[in-house]
Amino acid sequence: MRLMSATATEEDALRGLRGKLMYRSKQRGFLELDLLVGLWAERELPRMEPRMLHAFSDVLDLENPDLFKWLTGQLVPPEEVASNPAYSALRLHVQQTLGQNSQEAAKAAPGAEWVRGWDDAWKGKGAGTTPAAGAGAQGAAAGTKS
């Protein structure tokens, strides 16, 4: 009887861990990771062994911007991350997903950061310069010439 309760307690603990990991996978506060990690976790968590569950927990402890860049191939992850079996399986899923859903013309070169949006063009072109500030300066200059 004791063996049966120990096994039941162990199963309860694993069920609880899976639930926590699922929540952390889908509620990261970074939409792209919520989708990439959450969908993978839905499929993989139910069949993960305890060792892999703990490895996945370590992956979920990583900072969102770093994890996103490592998973998408924008940056090379540190060895301790790259050697994590859960990270490796998740990265394979992300690479397959990107390969299936990205047009060739839209892909960045391997190891290159992705362009994040319209505001990247002005960065580094002058301290404190923003698109709005630049437009205001041009507007003011145009107004004085009239």
Side-chain angles (χ1 to χ4, degrees):
M1 189 71 162
R2 190 171 208 191
L3 178 61
M4 188 170 159
S5 73
T7 304
T9 303
E10 191 175 300
E11 284 300 317
D12 287 343
L14 286 176
R15 190 174 311 111
L17 178 58
R18 283 186 176 96
K20 288 176 187 176
L21 294 176
M22 183 65 72
Y23 179 81
R24 291 177 62 202
S25 298
K26 292 182 164 193
Q27 302 293 327
R28 298 189 60 84
F30 191 113
L31 179 60
E32 293 85 351
L33 283 176
D34 291 348
L35 293 171
L36 290 170
V37 178
L39 292 173
W40 180 81
E42 276 183 2
R43 188 182 73 218
E44 299 298 328
L45 275 175
R47 60 182 176 207
M48 280 188 192
E49 296 295 323
R51 187 172 184 213
M52 187 70 138
L53 290 170
H54 292 289
F56 185 51
S57 180
D58 291 342
V59 170
L60 294 176
D61 288 341
L62 299 168
E63 294 293 327
N64 284 339
D66 295 332
L67 181 58
F68 183 74
K69 287 181 180 183
W70 295 332
L71 287 172
T72 57
Q74 295 177 61
L75 294 175
V76 176
E79 180 56 35
E80 63 270 11
V81 174
S83 63
N84 179 309
Y87 169 81
S88 297
L90 177 56
R91 184 163 192 306
L92 178 62
H93 162 75
V94 169
Q95 293 303 307
Q96 289 172 341
T97 300
L98 291 175
Q100 294 168 357
N101 298 305
S102 300
Q103 294 178 4
E104 215 42 55
K107 293 181 183 178
E113 286 196 50
W114 297 357
V115 175
R116 293 188 326 259
W118 67 271
D119 65 337
D120 285 346
W122 62 267
K123 289 184 180 177
K125 292 187 177 180
T129 304
T130 64
Q138 290 172 348
T144 58
K145 290 183 182 179
S146 302

PDB file of all heavy atoms in Angstrom, residues 117-144:
ATOM      1  N   GLY A 117      11.193  46.790 -36.893  1.00  0.00           N
ATOM      2  CA  GLY A 117      10.057  47.630 -37.251  1.00  0.00           C
ATOM      3  C   GLY A 117      10.470  48.935 -37.877  1.00  0.00           C
ATOM      4  O   GLY A 117      11.630  49.174 -38.168  1.00  0.00           O
ATOM      5  N   TRP A 118       9.505  49.779 -38.047  1.00  0.00           N
ATOM      6  CA  TRP A 118       9.711  51.033 -38.757  1.00  0.00           C
ATOM      7  C   TRP A 118      10.712  51.938 -38.068  1.00  0.00           C
ATOM      8  O   TRP A 118      11.378  52.730 -38.718  1.00  0.00           O
ATOM      9  CB  TRP A 118       8.385  51.758 -38.913  1.00  0.00           C
ATOM     10  CG  TRP A 118       7.811  52.230 -37.602  1.00  0.00           C
ATOM     11  CD1 TRP A 118       6.992  51.532 -36.777  1.00  0.00           C
ATOM     12  CD2 TRP A 118       8.052  53.467 -36.960  1.00  0.00           C
ATOM     13  NE1 TRP A 118       6.703  52.246 -35.657  1.00  0.00           N
ATOM     14  CE2 TRP A 118       7.339  53.450 -35.744  1.00  0.00           C
ATOM     15  CE3 TRP A 118       8.799  54.601 -37.275  1.00  0.00           C
ATOM     16  CZ2 TRP A 118       7.355  54.514 -34.860  1.00  0.00           C
ATOM     17  CZ3 TRP A 118       8.805  55.653 -36.385  1.00  0.00           C
ATOM     18  CH2 TRP A 118       8.093  55.617 -35.200  1.00  0.00           C
ATOM     19  N   ASP A 119      10.857  51.865 -36.753  1.00  0.00           N
ATOM     20  CA  ASP A 119      11.705  52.813 -36.038  1.00  0.00           C
ATOM     21  C   ASP A 119      13.188  52.445 -36.062  1.00  0.00           C
ATOM     22  O   ASP A 119      14.001  53.218 -35.599  1.00  0.00           O
ATOM     23  CB  ASP A 119      11.235  52.969 -34.595  1.00  0.00           C
ATOM     24  CG  ASP A 119      11.382  51.705 -33.782  1.00  0.00           C
ATOM     25  OD1 ASP A 119      11.428  50.609 -34.372  1.00  0.00           O
ATOM     26  OD2 ASP A 119      11.436  51.805 -32.556  1.00  0.00           O
ATOM     27  N   ASP A 120      13.565  51.304 -36.604  1.00  0.00           N
ATOM     28  CA  ASP A 120      14.968  50.919 -36.631  1.00  0.00           C
ATOM     29  C   ASP A 120      15.804  51.826 -37.532  1.00  0.00           C
ATOM     30  O   ASP A 120      16.999  51.975 -37.340  1.00  0.00           O
ATOM     31  CB  ASP A 120      15.139  49.475 -37.109  1.00  0.00           C
ATOM     32  CG  ASP A 120      14.757  48.474 -36.039  1.00  0.00           C
ATOM     33  OD1 ASP A 120      14.621  48.875 -34.865  1.00  0.00           O
ATOM     34  OD2 ASP A 120      14.594  47.297 -36.375  1.00  0.00           O
ATOM     35  N   ALA A 121      15.195  52.433 -38.528  1.00  0.00           N
ATOM     36  CA  ALA A 121      15.933  53.230 -39.492  1.00  0.00           C
ATOM     37  C   ALA A 121      16.597  54.449 -38.860  1.00  0.00           C
ATOM     38  O   ALA A 121      17.677  54.858 -39.275  1.00  0.00           O
ATOM     39  CB  ALA A 121      15.002  53.676 -40.616  1.00  0.00           C
ATOM     40  N   TRP A 122      15.993  55.037 -37.846  1.00  0.00           N
ATOM     41  CA  TRP A 122      16.545  56.253 -37.261  1.00  0.00           C
ATOM     42  C   TRP A 122      17.542  55.994 -36.151  1.00  0.00           C
ATOM     43  O   TRP A 122      18.263  56.900 -35.765  1.00  0.00           O
ATOM     44  CB  TRP A 122      15.431  57.171 -36.761  1.00  0.00           C
ATOM     45  CG  TRP A 122      14.590  56.571 -35.674  1.00  0.00           C
ATOM     46  CD1 TRP A 122      13.430  55.892 -35.837  1.00  0.00           C
ATOM     47  CD2 TRP A 122      14.843  56.595 -34.277  1.00  0.00           C
ATOM     48  NE1 TRP A 122      12.942  55.469 -34.635  1.00  0.00           N
ATOM     49  CE2 TRP A 122      13.791  55.901 -33.651  1.00  0.00           C
ATOM     50  CE3 TRP A 122      15.849  57.126 -33.474  1.00  0.00           C
ATOM     51  CZ2 TRP A 122      13.725  55.723 -32.277  1.00  0.00           C
ATOM     52  CZ3 TRP A 122      15.766  56.948 -32.097  1.00  0.00           C
ATOM     53  CH2 TRP A 122      14.719  56.258 -31.521  1.00  0.00           C
ATOM     54  N   LYS A 123      17.608  54.792 -35.621  1.00  0.00           N
ATOM     55  CA  LYS A 123      18.492  54.514 -34.495  1.00  0.00           C
ATOM     56  C   LYS A 123      19.944  54.682 -34.899  1.00  0.00           C
ATOM     57  O   LYS A 123      20.374  54.229 -35.944  1.00  0.00           O
ATOM     58  CB  LYS A 123      18.253  53.110 -33.960  1.00  0.00           C
ATOM     59  CG  LYS A 123      16.936  53.009 -33.242  1.00  0.00           C
ATOM     60  CD  LYS A 123      16.744  51.671 -32.625  1.00  0.00           C
ATOM     61  CE  LYS A 123      15.404  51.649 -31.914  1.00  0.00           C
ATOM     62  NZ  LYS A 123      15.116  50.374 -31.345  1.00  0.00           N
ATOM     63  N   GLY A 124      20.686  55.338 -34.056  1.00  0.00           N
ATOM     64  CA  GLY A 124      22.112  55.518 -34.293  1.00  0.00           C
ATOM     65  C   GLY A 124      22.442  56.680 -35.205  1.00  0.00           C
ATOM     66  O   GLY A 124      23.591  56.935 -35.505  1.00  0.00           O
ATOM     67  N   LYS A 125      21.454  57.438 -35.643  1.00  0.00           N
ATOM     68  CA  LYS A 125      21.711  58.556 -36.550  1.00  0.00           C
ATOM     69  C   LYS A 125      21.774  59.887 -35.821  1.00  0.00           C
ATOM     70  O   LYS A 125      21.577  60.908 -36.418  1.00  0.00           O
ATOM     71  CB  LYS A 125      20.641  58.611 -37.643  1.00  0.00           C
ATOM     72  CG  LYS A 125      20.726  57.453 -38.597  1.00  0.00           C
ATOM     73  CD  LYS A 125      19.768  57.639 -39.742  1.00  0.00           C
ATOM     74  CE  LYS A 125      19.926  56.506 -40.729  1.00  0.00           C
ATOM     75  NZ  LYS A 125      19.037  56.627 -41.850  1.00  0.00           N
ATOM     76  N   GLY A 126      22.021  59.849 -34.556  1.00  0.00           N
ATOM     77  CA  GLY A 126      22.111  61.086 -33.793  1.00  0.00           C
ATOM     78  C   GLY A 126      21.491  60.897 -32.428  1.00  0.00           C
ATOM     79  O   GLY A 126      20.407  60.348 -32.319  1.00  0.00           O
ATOM     80  N   ALA A 127      22.180  61.337 -31.428  1.00  0.00           N
ATOM     81  CA  ALA A 127      21.694  61.153 -30.070  1.00  0.00           C
ATOM     82  C   ALA A 127      20.402  61.918 -29.861  1.00  0.00           C
ATOM     83  O   ALA A 127      20.293  63.085 -30.228  1.00  0.00           O
ATOM     84  CB  ALA A 127      22.746  61.622 -29.068  1.00  0.00           C
ATOM     85  N   GLY A 128      19.421  61.228 -29.294  1.00  0.00           N
ATOM     86  CA  GLY A 128      18.165  61.861 -28.969  1.00  0.00           C
ATOM     87  C   GLY A 128      17.251  62.099 -30.153  1.00  0.00           C
ATOM     88  O   GLY A 128      16.205  62.681 -30.015  1.00  0.00           O
ATOM     89  N   THR A 129      17.636  61.681 -31.323  1.00  0.00           N
ATOM     90  CA  THR A 129      16.810  61.892 -32.492  1.00  0.00           C
ATOM     91  C   THR A 129      15.777  60.785 -32.592  1.00  0.00           C
ATOM     92  O   THR A 129      16.102  59.622 -32.494  1.00  0.00           O
ATOM     93  CB  THR A 129      17.656  61.884 -33.782  1.00  0.00           C
ATOM     94  OG1 THR A 129      18.668  62.866 -33.647  1.00  0.00           O
ATOM     95  CG2 THR A 129      16.816  62.191 -34.995  1.00  0.00           C
ATOM     96  N   THR A 130      14.555  61.161 -32.761  1.00  0.00           N
ATOM     97  CA  THR A 130      13.473  60.209 -32.967  1.00  0.00           C
ATOM     98  C   THR A 130      12.740  60.601 -34.226  1.00  0.00           C
ATOM     99  O   THR A 130      12.891  61.720 -34.707  1.00  0.00           O
ATOM    100  CB  THR A 130      12.483  60.224 -31.775  1.00  0.00           C
ATOM    101  OG1 THR A 130      11.864  61.507 -31.724  1.00  0.00           O
ATOM    102  CG2 THR A 130      13.174  59.907 -30.467  1.00  0.00           C
ATOM    103  N   PRO A 131      11.917  59.725 -34.769  1.00  0.00           N
ATOM    104  CA  PRO A 131      11.172  60.102 -35.968  1.00  0.00           C
ATOM    105  C   PRO A 131      10.340  61.355 -35.749  1.00  0.00           C
ATOM    106  O   PRO A 131      10.277  62.227 -36.600  1.00  0.00           O
ATOM    107  CB  PRO A 131      10.281  58.888 -36.232  1.00  0.00           C
ATOM    108  CG  PRO A 131      10.992  57.745 -35.600  1.00  0.00           C
ATOM    109  CD  PRO A 131      11.694  58.337 -34.400  1.00  0.00           C
ATOM    110  N   ALA A 132       9.709  61.480 -34.585  1.00  0.00           N
ATOM    111  CA  ALA A 132       8.867  62.641 -34.322  1.00  0.00           C
ATOM    112  C   ALA A 132       9.712  63.910 -34.222  1.00  0.00           C
ATOM    113  O   ALA A 132       9.350  64.952 -34.744  1.00  0.00           O
ATOM    114  CB  ALA A 132       8.066  62.432 -33.035  1.00  0.00           C
ATOM    115  N   ALA A 133      10.856  63.795 -33.538  1.00  0.00           N
ATOM    116  CA  ALA A 133      11.731  64.961 -33.395  1.00  0.00           C
ATOM    117  C   ALA A 133      12.268  65.387 -34.755  1.00  0.00           C
ATOM    118  O   ALA A 133      12.342  66.563 -35.069  1.00  0.00           O
ATOM    119  CB  ALA A 133      12.875  64.650 -32.441  1.00  0.00           C
ATOM    120  N   GLY A 134      12.625  64.409 -35.568  1.00  0.00           N
ATOM    121  CA  GLY A 134      13.138  64.728 -36.903  1.00  0.00           C
ATOM    122  C   GLY A 134      12.087  65.406 -37.750  1.00  0.00           C
ATOM    123  O   GLY A 134      12.340  66.370 -38.443  1.00  0.00           O
ATOM    124  N   ALA A 135      10.834  64.941 -37.666  1.00  0.00           N
ATOM    125  CA  ALA A 135       9.755  65.542 -38.439  1.00  0.00           C
ATOM    126  C   ALA A 135       9.476  66.956 -37.954  1.00  0.00           C
ATOM    127  O   ALA A 135       9.233  67.860 -38.745  1.00  0.00           O
ATOM    128  CB  ALA A 135       8.488  64.686 -38.336  1.00  0.00           C
ATOM    129  N   GLY A 136       9.554  67.150 -36.633  1.00  0.00           N
ATOM    130  CA  GLY A 136       9.314  68.480 -36.080  1.00  0.00           C
ATOM    131  C   GLY A 136      10.378  69.463 -36.513  1.00  0.00           C
ATOM    132  O   GLY A 136      10.093  70.608 -36.849  1.00  0.00           O
ATOM    133  N   ALA A 137      11.623  69.025 -36.530  1.00  0.00           N
ATOM    134  CA  ALA A 137      12.718  69.899 -36.940  1.00  0.00           C
ATOM    135  C   ALA A 137      12.577  70.278 -38.413  1.00  0.00           C
ATOM    136  O   ALA A 137      12.784  71.422 -38.793  1.00  0.00           O
ATOM    137  CB  ALA A 137      14.057  69.217 -36.687  1.00  0.00           C
ATOM    138  N   GLN A 138      12.182  69.304 -39.244  1.00  0.00           N
ATOM    139  CA  GLN A 138      12.015  69.590 -40.653  1.00  0.00           C
ATOM    140  C   GLN A 138      10.844  70.546 -40.860  1.00  0.00           C
ATOM    141  O   GLN A 138      10.902  71.447 -41.676  1.00  0.00           O
ATOM    142  CB  GLN A 138      11.784  68.296 -41.437  1.00  0.00           C
ATOM    143  CG  GLN A 138      13.011  67.438 -41.510  1.00  0.00           C
ATOM    144  CD  GLN A 138      12.708  66.078 -42.125  1.00  0.00           C
ATOM    145  OE1 GLN A 138      11.574  65.701 -42.298  1.00  0.00           O
ATOM    146  NE2 GLN A 138      13.773  65.333 -42.403  1.00  0.00           N
ATOM    147  N   GLY A 139       9.783  70.316 -40.104  1.00  0.00           N
ATOM    148  CA  GLY A 139       8.604  71.187 -40.216  1.00  0.00           C
ATOM    149  C   GLY A 139       8.924  72.608 -39.793  1.00  0.00           C
ATOM    150  O   GLY A 139       8.505  73.573 -40.416  1.00  0.00           O
ATOM    151  N   ALA A 140       9.707  72.758 -38.721  1.00  0.00           N
ATOM    152  CA  ALA A 140      10.067  74.086 -38.234  1.00  0.00           C
ATOM    153  C   ALA A 140      10.954  74.793 -39.262  1.00  0.00           C
ATOM    154  O   ALA A 140      10.792  75.973 -39.526  1.00  0.00           O
ATOM    155  CB  ALA A 140      10.780  73.984 -36.896  1.00  0.00           C
ATOM    156  N   ALA A 141      11.885  74.036 -39.836  1.00  0.00           N
ATOM    157  CA  ALA A 141      12.771  74.633 -40.844  1.00  0.00           C
ATOM    158  C   ALA A 141      11.985  75.056 -42.065  1.00  0.00           C
ATOM    159  O   ALA A 141      12.217  76.114 -42.641  1.00  0.00           O
ATOM    160  CB  ALA A 141      13.864  73.632 -41.228  1.00  0.00           C
ATOM    161  N   ALA A 142      11.025  74.246 -42.466  1.00  0.00           N
ATOM    162  CA  ALA A 142      10.224  74.576 -43.626  1.00  0.00           C
ATOM    163  C   ALA A 142       9.372  75.813 -43.369  1.00  0.00           C
ATOM    164  O   ALA A 142       9.168  76.640 -44.253  1.00  0.00           O
ATOM    165  CB  ALA A 142       9.335  73.383 -44.012  1.00  0.00           C
ATOM    166  N   GLY A 143       8.906  75.952 -42.136  1.00  0.00           N
ATOM    167  CA  GLY A 143       8.065  77.097 -41.787  1.00  0.00           C
ATOM    168  C   GLY A 143       8.825  78.402 -41.796  1.00  0.00           C
ATOM    169  O   GLY A 143       8.276  79.450 -42.088  1.00  0.00           O
ATOM    170  N   THR A 144      10.106  78.396 -41.502  1.00  0.00           N
ATOM    171  CA  THR A 144      10.890  79.639 -41.467  1.00  0.00           C
ATOM    172  C   THR A 144      11.257  80.089 -42.862  1.00  0.00           C
ATOM    173  O   THR A 144      11.578  81.250 -43.062  1.00  0.00           O
ATOM    174  CB  THR A 144      12.165  79.444 -40.637  1.00  0.00           C
ATOM    175  OG1 THR A 144      12.924  78.406 -41.192  1.00  0.00           O
ATOM    176  CG2 THR A 144      11.833  79.156 -39.190  1.00  0.00           C
TER     177      THR A 144
END
